[in-house]
Amino acid sequence: MCGIAGYVGPRNAVDVVFDQLKRLEYRGYDSAGLAYVDEGRLHVLKKAGKLTGLGSLLAESKPSAHTAIAHSRWATHGGPTDLNAHPHHDQDAQISVIHNGIIENYLELKSDLVSRGHTFHSETDTEVAAHVIGEEYRDGVELVEAVRRAVAKLRGAFAFVVVSSAEPGTIVCARNASPLIVGFGEGESMVASDIPALLPYTRRVAILENDMVAKVTVDAIKFYSLEGKPIEPKPFDVDWDAVAAEKGGFEHFMIKEVHEQPEVVHQCLAGRVEGDHVKLDGLFSDHVWHEIDRINIIACGTAYHAGLMGKWMFERMLQLPVDVFYSSEFRYGEPLLSPRSLAIFVSQSGETADSLAALRLCKARRIRTLGVVNVVGSSIARDCDRVLYTQAGPEISVASTKAYTAQVLVLLLLVLHIAQVREMPGVRVPEIVQDLRGFAESMRQSLDLEPQVKALAERFKDSKMVFFLGRNADAHVALEAALKLKEIAYIPTQECPAGELKHGPLALVEPGVLAVFGATDPDTQDKLLSNMKEVQARGGTVVAVTTNEASAWADEMDTVLRVASCETKALAALSTIVPLQLLAYHLANLRGCEIDQPRNLAKSVTVE
Ligand code: F6R
């Protein structure tokens, strides 16, 4: 999620990596820094805030070097401060490290290092990794070998880039899950987290695959396996223009973000599932979870829809009463708040004015508050008593996609955490954790439905109205699917629990109407079938989004989209959001809509 750049060659490497960072600016970040090696010494400059802060430091010191690395940070561990900005160094300050990802076992590693006299200056997991690499980097061991040995001790998703004062002219990188690309220039070599950073310098690139280490020097880039075996890089030429490259080759940020969801699942769970249980750091102490008698979830738009899924999971699994409020209604609704209640604020941006106003009201009434937020250090994250970050990475498209998935997952993790604390025998935590571990793969399978969804969009691109229906958790996903369609394709939608159809909305069904049913819940399938028949009898076309295991009736529908089966009902329902996001996207694209910036809407709504 962070931006990474590195250069070795005849140009001023500091200028090159700063320029490369600027080319990654579209991703969003909260601090930036760089390290360069000059005359056998490491120099580090870093600053919280926009790139202009780092730019001012460079303008003052005008450094020049032939080896440099740089990083723009999207905070995960530790707030966006100068000290937490990358690069970080090891105990002997001999190496400098930048990192994208999350080291899951950093706390264990840190306490071991502290017990052996190491001192740390930041709250980051990256600094711990720098110390681990530093420990391996002694007795004449080469940097590439030290990184290789250190990586074996780290758990999680990461891409590292490392330089050493003792090896000027060398950059070492390692990758597991987070992206890293090397660029082969003419008499120069470079590395970046994303192709756009490389394009002004070279179009010849190779992807460092998972579990590989690379040694990048001015005239060679060598890849190695984690066992130290040389691997032949597979360079290719990028023919995208710079704008397409920012979007990873996708036409829009929205579709890129939809496709990022399997990785987002990994990021969101990183460090939070261990063995067969859930481990959430930084929450209230256990007695608070016993004391809480009611939860209020407060949010807007997509985040509100995630909150509805939260209610569904909390009430079913924990028998804890939950209300979900639109932030704008909560504020003026004179809410009755139990002093033992907890208010959960769900927000991607952490800056939504309505939610902030509701948060102020809760604070004035001395109600405990918890943020479920994507942007680290944002106002809601700072002002809540506790915060759980969704770790979905920067979301650029106005229409929220991957943040929704991460919000629902974090709420599920919270349910499991409370179930563990309250020792609820009815909640099968190990089984649900197992389903969570397989969920990234489920999301990948949902993405495989794209050709079918595209064909469906072709058929219905002139729709005047689309229905989104379901029962139980599927009914909540239907609301989010409808919001996606109306906000980017400008098609009016009708969304409600399927059982409500006959109480009114059925009057709108006529030939040409498309009705999309979420149908993952086996307990309500018979009832749902009746609702589908009601639509078909009035000339509507029915699309069922159901699981691999769903019964044969699904074949009676006009189109059936099958997602992976999953015992945990909330997860089965959640995996249907992917084909529904894809449907909104392809309909909008076919209708020529402005997808990433839909009319009248803004990414962060900072007015009430
Ligand atoms: C819809 C969308 C909005 C936001 C809402 C809340 O795609 O993005 O409905 O979900 O404005 O924003 P956050 O989550 O930033 O508080």
Side-chain angles (χ1 to χ4, degrees):
M1 313 291 173
C2 302
I4 282 182
Y7 173 88
V8 3
R11 309 186 207 216
N12 182 354
V14 177
D15 289 346
V16 173
V17 292
F18 187 62
D19 174 64
Q20 290 176 330
L21 276 196
K22 284 202 267 186
R23 291 171 194 281
L24 298 174
E25 241 179 327
Y26 65 93
R27 301 156 59 104
Y29 57 88
D30 50 46
S31 52
L34 57 79
Y36 58 95
V37 188
D38 185 33
E39 297 185 348
R41 288 189 55 207
L42 264 180
H43 304 260
V44 171
L45 296 168
K46 53 189 189 175
K47 192 89 194 127
K50 299 240 170 263
L51 267 188
T52 45
L54 179 61
S56 308
L57 294 181
L58 291 177
E60 277 164 31
S61 53
K62 298 199 174 42
S64 167
H66 295 294
T67 307
I69 59 175
H71 185 267
S72 52
R73 177 169 186 249
W74 170 266
T76 52
H77 288 85
T81 60
D82 288 354
L83 277 180
N84 287 336
H86 297 205
H88 292 285
H89 59 71
D90 64 324
Q91 180 71 6
D92 302 331
Q94 202 187 0
I95 59 163
S96 232
V97 177
I98 57 179
H99 162 225
N100 176 12
I102 293 168
I103 308 296
E104 292 179 16
N105 56 335
Y106 85 106
L107 282 176
E108 304 156 32
L109 292 167
K110 189 170 183 175
S111 66
D112 173 50
L113 289 161
V114 168
S115 73
R116 290 189 285 108
H118 285 239
T119 47
F120 290 88
H121 307 279
S122 77
E123 303 156 277
T124 63
D125 50 346
T126 307
E127 191 181 10
V128 175
H131 281 237
V132 175
I133 299 170
E135 286 224 309
E136 299 293 340
Y137 190 42
R138 51 166 81 125
D139 307 329
V141 169
E142 257 195 86
L143 184 60
V144 65
E145 175 60 15
V147 170
R148 196 179 68 75
R149 291 183 191 175
V151 160
K153 299 186 172 167
L154 305 174
R155 263 200 338 265
F158 49 74
F160 286 110
V161 178
V162 189
V163 287
S164 156
S165 55
E167 294 182 48
T170 297
I171 296 175
V172 172
C173 340
R175 175 195 168 162
N176 177 32
S178 301
L180 210 55
I181 293 138
V182 297
F184 299 80
E186 297 277 327
E188 55 188 0
S189 301
M190 55 216 88
V191 16
S193 52
D194 235 347
I195 287 174
L198 301 177
L199 287 187
Y201 304 95
T202 183
R203 289 189 165 263
R204 189 118 188 101
V205 306
I207 291 172
L208 192 70
E209 302 289 353
N210 282 342
D211 300 326
M212 282 192 198
V213 177
K215 179 176 176 182
V216 179
T217 55
V218 72
D219 47 13
I221 301 181
K222 294 187 174 152
F223 283 11
Y224 301 93
S225 70
L226 285 190
E227 292 70 44
K229 277 217 229 97
I231 296 173
E232 208 45 54
K234 294 189 187 120
F236 60 94
D237 290 317
V238 179
D239 55 8
W240 307 331
D241 63 23
V243 176
E246 284 185 353
K247 296 172 186 150
F250 290 100
E251 207 178 332
H252 298 97
F253 283 112
M254 180 186 170
I255 189 72
K256 174 175 183 256
E257 287 160 5
V258 168
H259 278 262
E260 278 171 4
Q261 287 176 111
E263 194 193 330
V264 166
V265 173
H266 282 303
Q267 293 278 2
C268 180
L269 301 181
R272 291 166 164 177
V273 287
E274 251 185 31
D276 60 4
H277 66 281
V278 165
K279 190 172 104 353
L280 293 180
D281 295 323
L283 279 180
F284 301 102
S285 40
D286 287 359
H287 76 91
V288 173
W289 297 114
H290 286 286
E291 206 174 287
I292 285 166
D293 63 349
R294 171 170 284 278
I295 291 180
N296 293 310
I297 301 181
I298 303 154
C300 308
T302 290
Y304 172 84
H305 295 152
L308 291 174
M309 285 289 274
K311 172 183 166 77
W312 193 83
M313 298 186 290
F314 271 98
E315 292 190 337
R316 258 171 194 69
M317 296 195 214
L318 299 176
Q319 275 83 58
L320 194 58
V322 177
D323 283 319
V324 189
F325 293 90
Y326 289 115
S327 309
S328 53
E329 288 296 298
F330 180 84
R331 166 116 193 255
Y332 298 103
E334 298 178 15
L336 301 172
L337 300 175
S338 151
R340 286 168 55 202
S341 66
L342 168 71
I344 302 181
F345 289 85
V346 185
S347 176
Q348 188 288 127
S349 63
E351 301 295 347
T352 301
D354 286 324
S355 300
L356 272 168
L359 173 55
R360 278 195 292 275
L361 187 146
C362 287
K363 296 209 78 124
R365 299 249 206 117
R366 299 184 181 283
I367 301 294
R368 282 189 192 99
T369 55
L370 167 70
V372 173
V373 178
N374 198 34
V375 179
V376 173
S378 56
S379 305
I380 294 177
R382 284 199 313 270
D383 292 353
C384 281
D385 298 329
R386 298 286 188 277
V387 61
L388 278 174
Y389 286 112
T390 44
Q391 301 180 177
E395 194 178 60
I396 295 165
S397 158
V398 165
S400 189
T401 52
K402 61 178 182 170
Y404 169 76
T405 294
Q407 286 160 351
V408 177
L409 286 180
V410 166
L411 290 170
L412 175 56
L413 289 171
L414 184 59
V415 169
L416 298 180
H417 174 81
I418 302 171
Q420 286 170 177
V421 174
R422 289 191 167 192
E423 295 177 6
M424 311 243 350
V427 186
R428 296 164 298 109
V429 176
E431 276 103 319
I432 300 172
V433 165
Q434 203 50 39
D435 286 346
L436 279 169
R437 288 186 190 282
F439 192 58
E441 179 51 32
S442 302
M443 293 299 259
R444 209 162 279 124
Q445 289 180 30
S446 291
L447 285 167
D448 290 343
L449 293 168
E450 189 159 14
Q452 256 176 291
V453 172
K454 230 168 151 174
L456 195 65
E458 285 282 356
R459 264 175 73 197
F460 289 95
K461 61 178 186 298
D462 298 320
S463 289
K464 299 269 176 300
M465 152 105 61
V466 179
F467 278 61
F468 288 93
L469 303 154
R471 284 170 177 256
N472 267 331
D474 291 321
H476 299 311
V477 176
L479 301 184
E480 173 56 12
L483 179 64
K484 287 293 90 71
L485 187 66
K486 63 183 122 202
E487 69 183 325
I488 62 164
Y490 316 141
I491 299 178
T493 61
Q494 175 66 46
E495 54 278 11
C496 62
E500 275 299 296
L501 253 189
K502 57 188 174 298
H503 298 289
L506 197 56
L508 292 170
V509 176
E510 57 184 356
V513 161
L514 171 64
V516 182
F517 282 78
T520 62
D521 181 6
D523 297 341
T524 58
Q525 285 195 352
D526 292 346
K527 295 273 185 299
L528 206 59
L529 179 60
S530 312
N531 304 136
M532 292 171 176
K533 294 281 176 202
E534 284 158 13
V535 171
Q536 284 181 322
R538 283 147 187 96
T541 303
V542 170
V543 172
V545 190
T546 185
T547 60
N548 285 327
E549 273 173 4
S551 54
W553 60 255
D555 297 328
E556 292 175 40
M557 302 303 122
D558 299 281
T559 300
V560 179
L561 301 170
R562 290 188 183 272
V563 299
S565 303
C566 184
E567 279 292 310
T568 304
K569 286 182 178 182
L571 291 179
L574 182 58
S575 61
T576 67
I577 195 59
V578 173
L580 302 177
Q581 292 164 341
L582 290 169
L583 180 65
Y585 173 80
H586 286 293
L587 280 169
N589 210 15
L590 288 166
R591 291 161 70 96
C593 300
E594 183 85 40
I595 292 178
D596 284 332
Q597 267 146 2
R599 67 187 184 204
N600 310 338
L601 300 178
K603 183 68 186 156
S604 179
V605 185
T606 52
V607 289
E608 281 183 56

